[in-house]
Amino acid sequence: MIGPPERAACEQIALTRSVGYAAFGRHEWGLDVLDLVFDSLVDQPGADDVRRLRFAGHGVTLDVERTTLTVELWVSPAGPVVVEARGGDGPGDAQPVSFLLRWPGSAQRPVRTAWIML
């Protein structure tokens, strides 16, 4: 059974994801969406101070690791890729963020992650 903090986090994630999908559907038709398949905040609450996320779909996996000081990304399959962070333009840390991945000179379609409160 999950407690109130975890339930609130799950509800916030679901809300953010639905808002992100709605925004994506209105503005970026040429992109595929990577779904959030793992979030240590929900799947391993209280494990440590590092937040780990995994987005997957369309033959691509993006792993994200956030500490208090850094955000590190790993893209699979490996190769030349351009990653852009979108969102997070407002005041404070609690802003929805999505990552856009493009492969220059490749036939791979660009992908965007589901929106998440990072």
Side-chain angles (χ1 to χ4, degrees), residues 22-103:
F24 168 84
R26 287 191 307 267
H27 300 290
E28 299 175 298
W29 291 101
L31 301 176
D32 291 321
V33 176
L34 301 180
D35 286 319
L36 179 65
V37 296
F38 177 83
D39 183 348
S40 62
L41 184 67
V42 175
D43 299 317
Q44 291 179 327
D48 57 24
D49 291 338
V50 177
R51 179 148 180 222
R52 292 175 180 85
L53 303 157
R54 174 169 280 179
F55 299 91
H58 309 283
V60 177
T61 301
L62 174 67
D63 289 302
V64 180
E65 186 173 286
R66 180 178 192 251
T67 68
T68 54
L69 299 175
T70 64
V71 175
E72 294 186 34
L73 308 171
W74 294 271
V75 178
S76 178
V81 63
V82 175
V83 180
E84 299 174 24
R86 299 280 173 95
D89 296 332
D93 290 334
Q95 299 292 318
V97 175
S98 177
F99 296 99
L100 172 68
L101 287 73
R102 292 182 288 112
W103 292 264

